[in-house]
Amino acid sequence: MSESYDRYRRDLWRDKAEAYRRSFASLCAHPVPLLLDAVRAAAGTRVADVGCGTGSVSEAAAARGAAVTAVDAEPGMVRATAARLPGVRPAIGALPDLPLRSAGFDAVVANFVVNHVARPAAAVAELRRVARPGGRVGVTVWPQPAPPLQRLWDEVIAAAGVTRPATPAPAPADDFPRTRDGLADLLWRAGLTQVDSRTVAWEHRVDPELWWSGAAGGLASIGHVVARQDAATVARMKAAYDRLAGAHLDSAGLLCLPTSALLAVGTVPAAGP
């Protein structure tokens, strides 16, 4: 089951680097400064950006003077990051088996990555493995229940009368509650100490057509739904989206809805005497 879930999640992002950069990347970039603060990324810090996507974390860490290694399971994402950030060391690899040496980094970050893997506990244990003793591991995930911005897609599906296609799911024994305490416990169980877990809330403003383009481009779970509909059903979904999103446009015509993320950080125990 875990292999089929990991394969399903990776397929959602395969060959979609440019579509992601134009649509959903700005949402995922919002917590990046707080995440880098949490792992104390600064000049000279060796940072592993695991699940780098199109490079939001890598770019921000490099701007602080950090030495960055950018890793992603999707080669197109790695290529996009390397093309934009030639000073970053690229690597292709997937949790929970990274092509990185043990204890090789001062800070390891995974921005909205642990929510995409079949075995989150094994993934966080791998993040810990590549961080040095005394180093810090920071992760973000989306909470459940979903905040209003993400619930918009559920409302579109319901309004259009669409049935979600069956998809793989993590085994219950491998999953974790998508709450502050659930994420903190995940880090504790990986052997991290001084764990701090918090909710980061903000209003996301985005061009509504760009936001729809992520779904239409097959991105994420909503993209999986859209990609499996016929043209008439997609048009019905778009009409439902326009109507529902229209109730949340600001004076500049941007879609504006509250959202939030969970951010947790922990420290690798120092080596014994």
Side-chain angles (χ1 to χ4, degrees), residues 41-49 58 61-70 87-89 104-107:
T45 305
R46 297 168 299 169
V47 173
D49 175 13
S58 292
R64 297 183 179 208
V68 181
T69 297
V88 167
R89 175 178 174 264
F105 297 89
D106 306 304

Side-chain angles (χ1 to χ4, degrees), residues 145-232:
L149 178 69
Q150 284 83 346
R151 284 204 305 271
L152 177 63
W153 296 125
D154 296 327
E155 295 167 8
V156 168
I157 290 169
V162 172
T163 300
R164 286 183 180 271
T167 59
D174 290 329
D175 211 353
F176 71 102
R178 309 305 168 94
T179 63
R180 284 178 58 187
D181 289 345
L183 184 58
D185 184 63
L186 188 69
L187 270 63
W188 282 115
R189 286 190 285 121
L192 296 167
T193 62
Q194 303 174 40
V195 172
D196 174 65
S197 181
R198 71 192 86 158
T199 299
V200 180
W202 71 101
E203 284 192 325
H204 187 62
R205 287 178 168 82
V206 61
D207 183 299
E209 290 303 313
L210 282 181
W211 199 240
W212 171 256
S213 75
L219 287 173
S221 299
I222 181 59
H224 180 78
V225 176
V226 173
R228 278 148 185 80
Q229 311 306 317
D230 59 28

Side-chain angles (χ1 to χ4, degrees), residues 96 114 117-127 173-176 186 189-190:
V114 173
V117 299
R119 295 187 292 142
V124 176
E126 179 71 349
L127 299 176
D174 290 329
D175 211 353
F176 71 102
L186 188 69
R189 286 190 285 121

Side-chain angles (χ1 to χ4, degrees), residues 87-101:
V88 167
R89 175 178 174 264
I92 297 172
L95 289 167
D97 186 20
L98 298 175
L100 304 175
R101 65 184 179 90

Side-chain angles (χ1 to χ4, degrees), residues 46-57:
R46 297 168 299 169
V47 173
D49 175 13
V50 179
C52 64
T54 51
S56 296
V57 173

Side-chain angles (χ1 to χ4, degrees), residues 34-41 45 47 106-109 136-138 265:
L34 294 175
L35 184 59
L36 291 175
D37 287 347
V39 297
R40 299 173 185 165
T45 305
V47 173
D106 306 304
V108 180
V109 293
R136 293 169 75 82
V137 173
V265 62

